[in-house]
């Protein structure tokens, strides 16, 4: 295919076709990114931070255009798309303010008269990004990477080509020099070649486990550094003493925001037996009240899934879970008509060995598993290949914290849904990948921690 096609998942209609970058275009982009890197790295940190500050303003000015494109290309609700643009702007400001401190040398006493870590950029980094937060996923890597003095090449998901173009446009509008941020409209077949190119020093991928294994293998083969954020099957552990009204309200948010297409969505609701019936009853009522419809409409709670193949895969997971003994409480059948709509779905009596427990369900499907007690709940939570996030809900935050420590994941929350925040590290363990995004650690992934020893 010589084109990337944007399809509106709410209607199934083709929005636009975008030419793919050919071999010569890719070669020119690689050369430009590499030649821009030394000059960008040599600029004062304050100047790079100033560009980020300007970028925040550009994003806010372009909010409506950016948000509308995201909604039209991947189906998220317009109100959530606007919030995503604001989140990107806020992160730009956070790093513009705090980044310069994080780039200071770290002094370390040793046998030298002076020894320290000089934090230096790697050079050019490739970002392979998904469609579910088409701006935020790219920004949370591109901001620390460029602030650190790297240049960035973006290979975005093929179904959000318009969002990818906007990304390059806003960096240019904020005064980033040519070559510092470049969109590569190429397919995933081009990724291994780009990683192995000597002008690229590192790669960060957010996406599926399969893509993660491919990119991790390519990076290993080429001896390049890599960060992999590969989704998860987060546990939402409800203890018997939890405030049910609040917990159910947050369960709905945690599972169904972004149409359920979130790596850190709560996916497995592990509930202490004593309150499980009450939890399921209230959860069902709240889920059945959600309004499915046009994502441009402010009254809509659930829009379409991003692609038809993703909807088919999700439905197959539901069907296999029910066949294996899960109880279908709500939803469970794709909606007829145009667009890739799937209703909010609730499964009860989900057990290890069922698809809804073992696999990542990327859409509006909540799976409830009953636990004998808190220890059993943690054991069930950890019985997953994934380890991205997890949460514990209880009236006793001290006990909640102790249980959060026992969750095998990268981000454990007590009485709050898992979310990313520029101030806090974000990433996973197990098959959810490795490396950290955001915070100080997010910058470090794109730096050479150079030891300097002076006798
Ligand atoms: P993918 O992992 O296929 O896509 C993510 C990015 O990786 C895209 O840019 C894609 O390019 C690229 N990619 C895919 N395969 C390769 C490869 N072999 N080598 C290099 N790059 C590759 O996700 P899907 O869109 O197919 O979604 C499938 C599932 O992935 C979801 O159901 C969900 O489980 C998970 N996912 C997790 C996300 C997260 O936030 N962690 C985000 C999105 C998906 P291209 O689009 O051109 O194929």
């Amino acid at each position: 295919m010589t084109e990337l096609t944007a399809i509106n998942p709410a209607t199934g209609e083709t929005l636009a076709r975008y030419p793919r970058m050919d071999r010569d275009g890719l070669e020119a982009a690689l050369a430009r990114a590499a030649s821009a890197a030394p000059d960008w790295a040599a600029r004062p940190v304050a100047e790079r931070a100033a560009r980020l500050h300007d970028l925040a303003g550009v994003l806010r000015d372009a909010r409506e255009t950016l948000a509308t494109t995201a909604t039209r290309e991947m189906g998220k609700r317009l109100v959530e798309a606007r919030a995503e643009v604001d989140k990107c702007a806020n992160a730009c400001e956070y790093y513009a303010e705090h980044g310069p401190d994080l780039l200071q040398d770290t002094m370390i006493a040793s046998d030298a008269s002076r020894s320290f870590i000089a934090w230096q950029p790697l050079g050019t980094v490739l970002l392979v990004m998904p469609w579910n937060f088409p701006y935020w996923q790219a920004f949370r890597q591109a901001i620390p990477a460029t602030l650190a003095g790297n240049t960035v090449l973006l290979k975005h998901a093929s179904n959000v080509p318009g969002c990818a173009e906007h990304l390059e446009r806003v960096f240019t509008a904020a005064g980033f020099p040519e070559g510092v941020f470049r969109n590569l409209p190429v397919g995933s077949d081009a990724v291994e070649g780009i990683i192995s190119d000597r002008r690229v020093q590192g790669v960060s991928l957010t996406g599926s486990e399969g893509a993660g294994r491919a990119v991790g293998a390519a990076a290993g083969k080429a001896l390049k550094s890599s960060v992999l954020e590969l989704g998860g099957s987060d546990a939402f552990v409800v203890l018997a003493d939890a405030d049910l009204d609040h917990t159910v309200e947050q369960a709905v948010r945690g599972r169904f925001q972004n149409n359920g297409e979130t790596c850190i969505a709560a996916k497995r609701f592990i509930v202490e037996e004593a309150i499980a019936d009450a939890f399921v009853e209230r959860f069902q009522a709240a889920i059945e009240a959600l309004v499915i419809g046009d994502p441009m409409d402010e009254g809509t709670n659930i829009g379409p899934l991003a692609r038809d193949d993703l909807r088919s895969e999700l439905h197959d997971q539901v069907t296999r879970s029910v066949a294996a003994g899960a109880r279908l409480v709500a939803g469970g059948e794709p909606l007829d008509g145009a667009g890739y709509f799937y209703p909010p779905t609730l499964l009860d009596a989900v057990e290890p060995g069922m698809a809804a427990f073992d696999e990542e369900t990327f859409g509006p499907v909540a799976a409830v598993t009953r636990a004998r007690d808190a220890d059993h709940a943690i054991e069930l939570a950890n019985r997953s290949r994934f380890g991205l996030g997890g949460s514990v809900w209880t009236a006793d935050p001290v006990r909640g914290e102790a249980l959060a420590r026992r969750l095998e994941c990268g981000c454990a929350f007590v009485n709050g849904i898992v979310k990313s925040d520029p101030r806090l590290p974000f990433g996973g363990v197990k098959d959810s990948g490795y490396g950290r995004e955001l915070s100080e650690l997010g910058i470090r992934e794109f730096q050479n921690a150079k030891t300097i020893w002076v006798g």
Side-chain angles (χ1 to χ4, degrees):
M1 276 186 294
T2 53
E3 292 172 324
L4 299 171
T5 307
I7 294 173
N8 184 343
T11 61
E13 287 163 3
T14 297
L15 293 166
R17 297 181 201 281
Y18 295 75
R20 280 184 198 244
M21 185 175 255
D22 62 15
R23 192 185 290 266
D24 289 347
L26 180 56
E27 169 55 35
L30 282 160
R32 191 72 196 96
S35 66
D39 172 61
W40 180 240
R43 295 196 185 202
V45 177
E47 193 184 322
R48 300 200 298 266
R51 295 284 68 73
L52 284 180
H53 189 268
D54 290 352
L55 185 52
V58 170
L59 285 167
R60 292 198 180 100
D61 288 347
R63 181 195 291 120
E64 216 48 33
T65 306
L66 296 176
T68 304
T69 304
T71 298
R72 285 164 58 83
E73 289 192 338
M74 52 66 68
K76 80 192 307 162
R77 297 187 303 127
L78 185 62
V79 283
E80 291 181 320
R82 290 183 185 128
E84 181 178 335
V85 176
D86 287 340
K87 186 166 179 164
C88 296
N90 294 342
C92 286
E93 284 169 348
Y94 173 79
Y95 273 107
E97 185 184 342
H98 299 280
D101 282 346
L102 301 175
L103 298 181
Q104 297 288 323
D105 297 339
T106 304
M107 304 308 297
I108 300 175
S110 74
D111 61 341
S113 63
R114 205 172 124 77
S115 49
F116 58 96
I117 303 169
W119 298 102
Q120 298 185 335
L122 294 178
T124 297
V125 294
L126 173 68
L127 308 184
V128 184
M129 291 291 126
W131 44 266
N132 59 337
F133 289 87
Y135 302 119
W136 172 243
Q137 306 273 29
F139 260 91
R140 72 181 183 193
Q141 296 290 68
I143 297 169
T146 51
L147 179 72
N150 300 285
T151 57
V152 164
L153 294 168
L154 170 71
K155 181 269 175 275
H156 217 325
S158 295
N159 55 326
V160 287
C163 295
E165 282 198 350
H166 282 321
L167 280 160
E168 183 177 305
R169 221 171 268 140
V170 291
F171 273 83
T172 305
F176 283 78
E178 203 210 325
V180 173
F181 183 99
R182 186 74 205 270
N183 172 40
L184 307 178
V186 296
S188 57
D189 52 343
V191 169
E192 185 173 351
I194 299 171
I195 292 171
S196 65
D197 191 286
R198 63 186 164 71
R199 291 164 291 192
V200 170
Q201 280 73 41
V203 57
S204 178
L205 170 119
T206 301
S208 64
E209 196 185 329
R213 290 188 191 281
V215 165
K221 202 167 147 196
L223 299 178
K224 307 277 169 77
S225 91
S226 58
V227 175
L228 301 179
E229 200 272 85
L230 308 179
S233 184
D234 288 10
F236 183 107
V237 174
V238 186
L239 300 188
D241 66 355
D243 169 351
L244 265 194
D245 284 339
H246 175 66
T247 304
V248 167
E249 188 190 307
Q250 295 303 308
V252 173
R253 250 185 84 207
R255 174 65 277 208
F256 297 101
Q257 65 180 349
N258 211 48
N259 303 333
E261 296 171 314
T262 306
C263 49
I264 43 167
K267 288 169 189 147
R268 295 176 301 133
F269 295 82
I270 300 175
V271 188
E272 268 197 272
E273 189 64 63
I275 52 150
D277 285 342
F279 178 85
V280 169
E281 195 179 306
R282 291 188 205 195
F283 203 16
Q284 176 183 3
I287 286 172
E288 288 179 342
L290 294 172
V291 177
I292 310 165
D294 183 352
M296 301 295 281
D297 184 341
E298 300 212 350
T300 294
N301 300 118
I302 304 278
L305 294 187
R307 297 193 316 249
D308 203 17
D309 63 303
L310 296 168
R311 178 171 69 161
S312 303
E313 194 183 322
L314 185 71
H315 185 52
D316 181 56
Q317 290 172 315
V318 170
T319 306
R320 283 188 285 123
S321 301
V322 172
R327 188 169 73 87
L328 183 63
V329 180
E333 279 299 328
L335 300 187
D336 289 336
Y340 315 136
F341 292 91
Y342 199 83
T345 295
L346 179 59
L347 295 170
D348 193 4
V350 172
E351 299 288 339
M354 296 181 186
F357 192 98
D358 293 351
E359 301 170 16
E360 177 176 34
T361 51
F362 217 66
V365 174
V368 173
T369 302
R370 288 149 190 261
R372 287 187 302 277
D373 52 30
D375 281 342
H376 186 216
I378 298 298
E379 183 197 321
L380 285 165
N382 290 340
R383 210 184 297 175
S384 172
R385 291 186 299 113
F386 298 103
L388 190 56
S391 59
V392 178
W393 299 80
T394 172
D396 181 350
V398 175
R399 184 166 177 234
E401 193 179 310
L403 294 172
R405 285 180 188 274
R406 290 169 56 192
L407 287 176
E408 294 168 4
C409 61
C411 322
F413 282 51
V414 178
N415 296 332
I417 58 172
V418 181
K419 58 179 192 279
S420 59
D421 178 325
R423 295 165 293 190
L424 297 168
F426 183 88
V429 296
K430 299 162 103 178
D431 286 353
S432 291
Y434 53 76
R436 288 295 175 269
E437 300 176 310
L438 300 172
S439 77
E440 176 178 348
L441 299 186
I443 293 198
R444 301 300 180 225
E445 298 285 357
F446 301 108
Q447 290 182 308
N448 171 15
K450 185 191 277 183
T451 296
I452 297 194
W453 187 100
V454 183

